[in-house]
Amino acid sequence: MSAFSAAIPIIDISSSNPNAPAQLLSAASTHGFVFVKNDGSTGLTSQSIDHVFDLSKAFFAAPVEEKESVSIASNKAGANHGWLSQGVEKLDPATQKRADVKEAFNLALPVANGTYPQAIPATLEPHIPLLIAFQESCHALCQRLLARFATALSIPPDWFTSRHDFSKGPSGTVFRLLYYPVLEAHEPDVDIRAGAHSDFGSLTLLFQRPGQPGLEIRTAGGEWTSVPVDPRTTSSASGKAEGLPILVNIGDLLEDWTAGLLKSTVHRVVFPKEGRGEDRYSIAYFCHPLDDARLEPVPSELVRRHAEVHGRTGRGERMVTAKDHLMERLRSTYSVGKTVEEVGGS
Ligand SMILES: O=C(O)CCC(=O)C(=O)O
Ligand SMILES: [Fe+2]
C-alpha cells in the first residue's frame, strides 16, 4: 500500500485556457483521473454541493421503511434506480469475500416535466428542483469535457456530445448518492467500502467531503495510491469563491471508444488505515451515452495510431451498443444472490 498521493493535475477548462484539450488528454491518458477547477462557470457552487450532501445525509438517516419504499429491488426490471441497501453491491466480485460496506441511492435522468421516472423518498421530494438543477449542471460539465476531448483527438467537436444529447433518447446515466458508514470494528483486508473496479460509462464526476478520504487509484505500476479530497496547495487555491476542484475520471466506454488512449483506471474506497474514522459521503454523476450509441472506434488518427502501436484490434464483428455494454457490467456487480432482473439493470 503506498502512502503517496496521486499527482492528478487540476485543469482550468475555461475558454481562457487554450491548452485545456491537450492537458485533459495528457491527464486522461496517464492517470485516467483529472481535477477540474471549479470556477463560477460550472454552476456547481459550494452551496449547491453542500445542499445536496445535506439532503443525502438526511435521506440515509431516514427510517428504513422510507428507504425500502424506494428500494432498487422494488423497481420494475430494466431499471437501475432507487435505494441499494448494504449488501447488494459487490464491485469486485472476483476478490471480495463480503459486499461493499455502503448504501446508495440512484437517480435516473429527470423527465421533461421536471419530475423523475421513479419513486422519490419523502425526504427528497420537496427538493426535486434542486436535484434536477444539480444533475443538469453535472451534465453540462460532462458535455464541456467531452467537447474538449473531441478537440484534443481532432474529431468533429460534437462527435461525443451528440451521443450524449439526452433530448434524443434514453441513457444509462445515473446520479448517485453514496453513504459509507463507519464500522465499529472492520476487518482489514476483508471489509472494503467499494471494491476495486473501473466505472462503466463515459465520464464520472465525483464530489467528496473534507475530512472523509478513502478513494484510491491503481497506478500503471500496480500500486494503490490515495486521491486527495482537496488537491490544492495554498498557492493554487486562488479564488475565494472557488469550490473544491471536481474529480473526473474516464469510464470504460470512453476507454473503449479510444482504443485505450484514454484510460479507465481501476479505483476503490478503503476504510481509514488507523482509527475508526468518519462516515463517508460522496456524490457521483455517472455519465453514459445514449443507449443506442454504437461503440465503434472514434475516427481519430491519434486513436488509430494508438490502437496500432498497442495492438488493440477492437471488437471485430461484435458491435455492441452502450446499453448492451451496461447490461453486461451490471449483471456481474449486483451479484449478491440476485439476478440483474431481480435487482434491476438498465
Ligand atoms: O465514493 C467514492 O468515492 C467512489 C465511488 C465509486 O468509485 C463508484 O461508486 O463507482
Ligand atoms: Fe467508481
Side-chain angles (χ1 to χ4, degrees):
M1 191 105 23
S2 164
F4 299 112
S5 256
I8 301 170
I10 308 171
I11 298 178
D12 171 5
I13 64 158
S14 71
S15 45
S16 64
N17 177 18
N19 299 323
Q23 291 170 348
L24 285 170
L25 180 60
S26 162
S29 54
T30 336
H31 304 287
F33 275 73
V34 54
F35 280 104
V36 169
K37 198 168 178 235
N38 189 9
D39 57 22
S41 69
T42 61
L44 297 160
T45 60
S46 300
Q47 290 88 327
S48 65
I49 296 169
D50 288 350
H51 200 154
V52 178
F53 272 113
D54 288 345
L55 293 176
S56 170
K57 206 166 178 175
F59 167 70
F60 289 115
V64 71
E65 295 75 30
E66 177 177 336
K67 297 193 272 190
E68 259 161 12
S69 73
V70 295
S71 157
I72 199 161
S74 66
N75 282 340
K76 62 183 188 338
N80 175 28
H81 309 131
W83 177 62
L84 281 86
S85 60
Q86 199 176 305
V88 169
E89 192 164 86
K90 198 190 249 184
L91 281 170
D92 184 11
T95 319
Q96 277 176 256
K97 295 195 185 77
R98 297 184 191 146
D100 296 355
V101 183
K102 72 180 182 200
E103 295 179 34
F105 182 65
N106 286 1
L107 278 159
L109 284 176
V111 285
N113 64 357
T115 58
Y116 283 103
Q118 69 186 89
I120 299 297
T123 302
L124 300 182
E125 179 81 43
H127 307 282
I128 288 178
L130 176 102
L131 291 166
I132 292 181
F134 193 85
Q135 221 173 330
E136 284 173 353
S137 296
C138 286
H139 195 60
L141 175 56
C142 287
Q143 291 287 57
R144 275 171 76 188
L145 289 163
L146 288 168
R148 281 162 184 65
F149 279 119
T151 302
L153 296 171
S154 304
I155 56 176
D158 67 345
W159 202 93
F160 291 122
T161 55
S162 62
R163 287 161 172 81
H164 293 78
D165 174 355
F166 301 152
S167 66
K168 292 190 196 152
S171 157
T173 294
V174 161
F175 180 49
R176 177 175 247 201
L177 309 177
L178 282 146
Y179 165 50
Y180 304 92
V182 155
L183 277 191
E184 287 314 323
H186 67 266
E187 251 184 87
D189 302 325
V190 176
D191 291 310
I192 189 150
R193 286 181 150 168
H197 68 283
S198 54
D199 291 351
F200 315 157
S202 334
L203 287 178
T204 303
L205 307 184
L206 187 76
F207 301 87
Q208 309 180 82
R209 298 265 81 184
Q212 300 176 11
L215 181 64
E216 296 187 336
I217 62 174
R218 193 156 69 202
T219 62
E223 283 277 287
W224 287 106
T225 306
S226 63
V227 176
V229 170
D230 184 353
R232 295 172 297 185
T233 55
T234 16
S235 60
S236 65
S238 51
K240 295 123 249 138
E242 224 170 72
L244 281 180
I246 301 169
L247 187 60
V248 179
N249 63 286
I250 303 296
D252 296 346
L253 287 190
L254 216 46
E255 173 171 306
D256 221 77
W257 251 331
T258 60
L261 177 58
L262 305 189
K263 300 219 163 10
S264 179
T265 297
V266 171
H267 53 282
R268 66 182 186 181
V269 182
V270 294
F271 279 101
K273 313 237 176 338
E274 277 152 33
R276 69 196 278 284
E278 282 190 40
D279 288 345
R280 173 180 165 92
Y281 292 85
S282 65
I283 301 169
Y285 183 75
F286 296 108
C287 179
H288 287 245
L290 294 165
D291 279 352
D292 63 6
R294 290 157 61 90
L295 303 182
E296 63 210 326
V298 300
S300 160
E301 185 52 24
L302 271 179
V303 169
R304 198 194 56 72
R305 263 192 275 135
H306 181 86
E308 213 169 78
V309 173
H310 296 270
R312 293 267 292 227
T313 50
R315 297 170 180 276
E317 292 302 295
R318 206 178 141 253
M319 175 58 70
V320 299
T321 62
K323 178 157 184 164
D324 298 332
H325 176 263
L326 179 59
M327 281 303 287
E328 213 173 282
R329 295 297 304 269
L330 287 175
R331 217 166 263 136
S332 58
T333 50
Y334 290 149
S335 61
V336 189
K338 294 202 166 116
T339 67
V340 72
E341 283 74 23
E342 278 165 339
V343 233
S346 165

